[in-house]
Amino acid sequence: MTFQSKDKEKRIADYVAGFNSRDEETIRQYSFDNAHAATWMNGHVPYFECSDRTVEETYYFRWWVYRKHIKKTPEGFIITEFLPAVYWAGAYNSINCAAGHHLGEGRWLRDGSLYMEDYLRFWMQGSGDVRSYSTWIADALYQYCLVRGDFGLAVELLPELASNYEAWEKSHLHESGLFWSVDDRDAMEYSISGNGLRPTLNSYLYADAKAIANIAGMAGDRACEEKFTQKAEKLKELVQSRLWDEEDGFFKVYPLQDRSGQVTEWDFSKVDRERNVCEEIGFIPWCFELPDAGYERAWRYLRAEDGFEAPYGPVTAVRGHKNFMQSHPEHECLWNGPSWPFATTQTLLALANVLKDYRQDYVTEEDFFTLFSRYTRSHYRTLRDGRKVNWLDENLEPFTGRWLSRDILENWGWREDKGGYERGKDYNHSGYADILISKILGMEPQQDGTLRIRPMIPKDWAFCCLDGLQCQGHEYTVCWDRTGEKYHLGKGLHVWRDGVAVTASDNCRVTFPHSF
């Protein structure tokens, strides 16, 4: 099955025209300005349509924003986080914190390998400061190569990946065997828990160790494979035994002001109540399927009123803590309650993994789609004249949906020492298309070259279709039609590879969820 090119081009052009008409184009990078956005998107973005038009619009809006951040540098293409130059960035206004999100999204671009591979080499071989903030760079590279169906780049960068991990060990490894980090270096300033042994960096480096071991195995380096397999296993055990609060049933930060701090007794009941808190980062281990079975009760907090529930949530710290949403007059970016798209992306990815790969009774597909719908519908801003425009910024006031840090910065007069005018506009610090493609539509390329398709379609979607998706050297179309009246192919899921209908084969395994 194929869609008429002119129909796809018109739909994308119509969306782009709308986005452009409502946009103040403050920064232009390379040749990806608004005037060329439709041409670029038609060439690079997989076509998507859906009965939920807000999801469809947000899908294209997010790609429209993403291309603004493709920047040509003397070292090749990179993906930026902020459009305006900010003083805390590195070379070419680069920031590594959200590189995992950038690569998670960008791996699905049609013919996007130039951007992604330049970007990866920038971090691993160029002037990018890959340890300025915590991130999951080796895992992101591995996931990119799964989509490409080619691990040549990963094998090429194996020495740099191993060296990067070992540099983290030299600078951040605590005597406990866990990694210590500053909340600010997790890009999570003014969190309630603060500095310490955090689920963030430890989960990221667990994922990186697993990825390095897998890549080393493909490279035939058995010593490296075994070394990093052991590192991953040790870190997994320590996260589960040291960062799990058995009483509250949650992965938490064990607060330590500095790396040299000692823990004489691993008991969260002895931790200062000012710092002892369930935070959204406690869900991150499931992004990488770190936890064994038996820890799923942590997810009971997700929709709890005194937990992470909010109309524009999840919130970044449970509402029941005394320091929830505590103001700090000199700082605009707080992680003590506001809703951050960065974290919401991680939570949705983690929740999808829990629903697909764990047995539990704490969260359901309905919970996932409630959160995904809230996230989708947060991508707007209401102007003073009442007009509603597509918008993506830094963080949200979780009960009103207003872009919180933007409001603060505007009230401060767009101070230059805070990044200047509209610093957070089109903020590229989260993901959306990857959630839709890899989790909802269930496109899961495997290391052995097979493609597992495990869709999880919302029950209120009448139809959806993703066309022209490049994966492992093939081109896929995936359509869902609840009644069979949209595409006239029969009810349910239909998959094509290179124009040939697929139901199951040696290289494409389709798993139909119970909801079908």
Side-chain angles (χ1 to χ4, degrees), residues 267-322:
D267 184 351
F268 276 97
S269 69
K270 305 292 177 63
V271 172
D272 184 349
R273 289 185 177 275
E274 294 287 322
R275 295 295 184 190
N276 189 350
V277 59
C278 296
E279 295 170 303
E280 194 178 1
I281 58 174
F283 295 130
I284 287 177
W286 281 277
C287 276
F288 310 105
E289 301 202 331
L290 181 156
D292 293 322
Y295 296 88
E296 297 82 13
R297 63 190 173 105
W299 289 90
R300 75 191 189 278
Y301 291 100
L302 183 66
R303 301 295 310 281
E305 289 294 332
D306 62 348
F308 299 96
E309 173 71 7
Y312 292 88
V315 293
T316 45
V318 289
R319 292 165 57 178
H321 195 277
K322 60 176 291 189

Side-chain angles (χ1 to χ4, degrees), residues 366-496:
E366 183 178 354
D367 293 319
F368 176 91
F369 291 116
T370 295
L371 296 186
F372 180 73
S373 178
R374 289 174 179 174
Y375 183 43
T376 297
R377 286 156 178 78
S378 73
H379 285 75
Y380 296 91
R381 182 167 78 88
T382 301
L383 305 183
R384 287 189 175 89
D385 62 8
R387 286 183 300 133
K388 190 175 181 181
V389 297
N390 304 90
W391 199 268
L392 180 61
D393 216 298
E394 296 182 64
N395 65 357
L396 293 149
E397 206 291 330
F399 302 105
T400 67
R402 293 181 62 85
W403 292 99
L404 181 58
S405 62
R406 185 194 179 280
D407 283 355
I408 295 170
L409 291 168
E410 185 179 33
N411 288 337
W412 288 349
W414 304 114
R415 287 162 43 182
E416 288 300 320
D417 65 320
K418 292 291 187 177
Y421 178 65
E422 289 288 14
R423 178 191 82 187
K425 180 178 178 293
D426 298 320
Y427 189 45
N428 192 26
H429 191 244
S430 57
Y432 188 84
D434 184 45
I435 300 168
L436 186 62
I437 295 170
S438 70
K439 300 306 180 185
I440 295 177
L441 295 174
M443 304 296 284
E444 301 175 4
Q446 305 295 302
Q447 186 174 307
D448 63 3
T450 63
L451 175 64
R452 181 170 60 174
I453 304 176
R454 292 194 296 169
M456 187 173 66
I457 310 292
K459 292 179 180 179
D460 60 353
W461 285 10
F463 65 86
C464 66
C465 189
L466 185 72
D467 187 45
L469 183 76
Q470 293 177 346
C471 185
Q472 299 177 324
H474 299 282
E475 189 158 299
Y476 286 88
T477 300
V478 181
C479 289
W480 160 250
D481 189 343
R482 187 172 60 199
T483 66
E485 296 176 359
K486 172 66 177 178
Y487 302 113
H488 305 291
L489 298 164
K491 297 179 181 181
L493 187 76
H494 303 273
V495 180
W496 288 263

